[in-house]
Amino acid sequence: MNRILEKAGCCQPSVGTFTHLKSTAAIESMSYTGLDYVIIDTEHCAADMDFVSAAITAADAAGVTPVVRVNEIARAAVLRPLDLGAKGIIVPAVETVEQVRQLVRYAKFPPLGNRGFCPTRDGGWGFAENAAAGAEAYMEDCNRQTLLIPQCETAGCLAHIEEIAAMDGVDGIFVGPLDLSIALGCPMQLDAPQMTEAIGRILAACKQAGKLSFIFCGGAKDAKARLSTGFDSVTCSLDTLMYIQACRSMVEEILS
């Protein structure tokens, strides 16, 4: 099940968050929140493949779509989370069109790419419904249901965003506004004119190519505003920040 695609197919927005707590219980608890997906972050969090595997399993059990943000543009970094059952791969720090072509080769089976084949967890080691009909059916299903999402957060990616968004095998673009603001010379000034222009350009490229558009948001107000401009999905905050904010609010209320 890929709730991002299900929501998009019904013209409904999806909502997710990042997990940095390295806790399967924290991921399982998302079952009761209404969140559609969780991004297991291996870029800014010291999460190894053992935890990624456990986190994907926990998300599946909770009915929350597991997505993994990888920490480099490399075959193993892309292949391993997919084999473990990730329903999407987000790739940060993309700079060039050729990097994205390479990512398609890593993440998609033929004819789109050249992903390595092996009976693995994502296909129930060959016995799950998406694999039981044979390798060809399994590969077609993976190409449809598994998302490859380059992250636009560099000046290089922005300069080529129309070509990248239109590329076969790319399923969407994830806007990283914080790093993008740094790249554009206006650190953390998310309302700066150059940021407004850049985010509008990324969103237009996605719409023109018929691809999904994602953006990171610091909170609910920001997320609601981004959805109103046409984004398909908002990734709101981090579980660590939400945990801190909830605890601080509780303590303040107790002591006030």
Side-chain angles (χ1 to χ4, degrees), residues 147-165:
L147 303 175
L148 173 62
I149 309 165
Q151 189 165 334
C152 187
E153 57 181 353
T154 69
C157 185
L158 179 64
H160 302 284
I161 192 61
E162 289 81 11
E163 185 176 359
I164 289 170

Side-chain angles (χ1 to χ4, degrees), residues 38-79:
V38 60
I39 301 175
I40 303 154
D41 192 8
T42 70
E43 182 194 17
H44 290 293
C45 182
D48 60 21
M49 280 301 110
D50 285 340
F51 175 72
V52 170
S53 178
I56 289 171
T57 301
D60 283 337
V64 178
T65 296
V67 177
V68 174
R69 180 160 69 176
V70 301
N71 59 8
E72 62 179 328
I73 298 173
R75 182 177 183 270
V78 173
L79 179 62

Side-chain angles (χ1 to χ4, degrees), residues 105-173:
R105 287 192 282 269
Y106 293 152
K108 299 291 184 177
F109 287 113
L112 292 174
N114 193 32
R115 175 181 165 185
F117 175 84
C118 181
T120 47
R121 182 185 181 277
D122 68 317
W125 297 274
F127 293 93
E129 184 178 352
N130 69 335
E136 185 174 353
Y138 160 75
M139 290 189 290
E140 289 176 358
D141 183 74
C142 287
N143 281 354
R144 286 193 307 270
Q145 295 291 323
T146 303
L147 303 175
L148 173 62
I149 309 165
Q151 189 165 334
C152 187
E153 57 181 353
T154 69
C157 185
L158 179 64
H160 302 284
I161 192 61
E162 289 81 11
E163 185 176 359
I164 289 170
M167 194 178 298
D168 287 343
V170 170
D171 299 292
I173 300 293

Side-chain angles (χ1 to χ4, degrees), residues 176-190:
L178 304 183
D179 280 327
L180 185 59
S181 72
I182 296 171
L184 296 182
C186 53
M188 308 307 155
Q189 299 173 43
L190 304 188

